[in-house]
Amino acid sequence: MSILTRRRLIGIFAAIVLGVAIGIGGRALLVGGSSSIFGEIKIGGPFSLTDQDGRRRTDGEFRGRLMLITFGYTFCPDVCPLDLQLMSDAIDALCADGDKVQPLFVTVDPGRDTPAVLKSYVEHFSPRIVALTGTPAETDAAARGYKVYYKVNGDPARDPNYLVDHSAFIYLMGGDGRLLAYFTHETPPDKLAAAIRARL
């Protein structure tokens, strides 16, 4: 087994473990209890990042609105486009109520995902999406708040086509910044829309 394959398997295993932790801790959080195995897992928190238009954005400005937030990167070959399309379709299905929900895409690849790159990328999905990047430290802080696992594979200095392993959840956050629910790219758009509508 090659080193790269081994690293990818470790990354996938870590994402699975994280998913189990979120599943147990997240359910406990939603019903106001705590998990005896993992304790209460807090998902979310403050961030200060730069959007696709070069403006600084913070979590505080989205208070009072629901947020759909996912982490990924523009060079992602599979899950990220599916997540963004799902978010876009679900919000479109809400019609006028879609304006009450802010979709956010936070990159885990700030080295490549400049504001200009993000702007071009999210235009393929929805004009409603706010895409966010920052310094590696800012990106890492945001990812930690949402318990997002990510790891660069390869050497970006030598391989411009490097990949980034990452966990992939879509978080539905309340107007107070607390986790309400989470979804995967396999969720049908109408199911996601219904889950959002129930919380408006």
Side-chain angles (χ1 to χ4, degrees):
M1 181 183 297
S2 69
I3 293 176
L4 178 58
T5 300
R6 188 179 300 112
R7 287 178 177 172
R8 290 185 66 82
L9 287 175
I10 291 171
I12 291 169
F13 177 74
I16 292 172
V17 171
L18 176 64
V20 172
I22 290 175
I24 295 174
R27 280 195 297 271
L29 177 61
L30 295 179
V31 299
S34 62
S35 165
S36 60
I37 299 176
F38 294 100
E40 183 176 295
I41 297 178
K42 181 180 178 182
I43 305 294
F47 60 77
S48 179
L49 297 163
T50 301
D51 72 11
Q52 66 263 49
D53 294 313
R55 295 181 297 166
R56 293 296 289 181
R57 311 295 290 267
T58 68
D59 60 293
E61 68 184 271
F62 302 110
R63 291 293 178 266
R65 302 175 66 191
L66 297 183
M67 286 193 309
L68 273 182
I69 182 168
T70 191
F71 289 72
Y73 67 115
T74 62
F75 201 72
C76 180
D78 40 40
V79 175
C80 299
L82 295 175
D83 280 348
L84 292 176
Q85 192 61 57
L86 169 59
M87 291 165 61
S88 301
D89 290 345
I91 291 176
D92 286 346
L94 292 169
C95 299
D97 282 337
D99 292 335
K100 300 175 184 177
V101 185
Q102 178 58 64
L104 300 173
F105 175 62
V106 182
T107 184
V108 292
D109 185 17
R112 282 184 298 198
D113 287 344
T114 63
V117 169
L118 287 172
K119 186 178 182 69
S120 176
Y121 185 70
V122 297
E123 283 176 350
H124 294 290
F125 300 98
S126 171
R128 301 175 191 252
I129 297 173
V130 171
L132 298 168
T133 187
T135 66
E138 290 167 343
T139 299
D140 191 55
R144 282 200 311 272
Y146 284 82
K147 306 300 183 286
V148 172
Y149 163 84
Y150 71 99
K151 185 179 187 304
V152 174
N153 281 305
D155 182 359
R158 297 185 178 186
D159 180 11
N161 297 316
Y162 64 88
L163 298 177
V164 181
D165 290 336
H166 64 94
S167 53
F169 293 99
I170 298 172
Y171 302 102
L172 176 60
M173 311 300 291
D176 59 357
R178 294 188 177 215
L179 175 70
L180 297 177
Y182 58 91
F183 309 88
T184 72
H185 65 278
E186 296 178 339
T187 306
D190 60 325
K191 297 291 186 183
L192 179 55
I196 296 170
R197 187 177 284 110
R199 292 167 171 83
L200 289 174

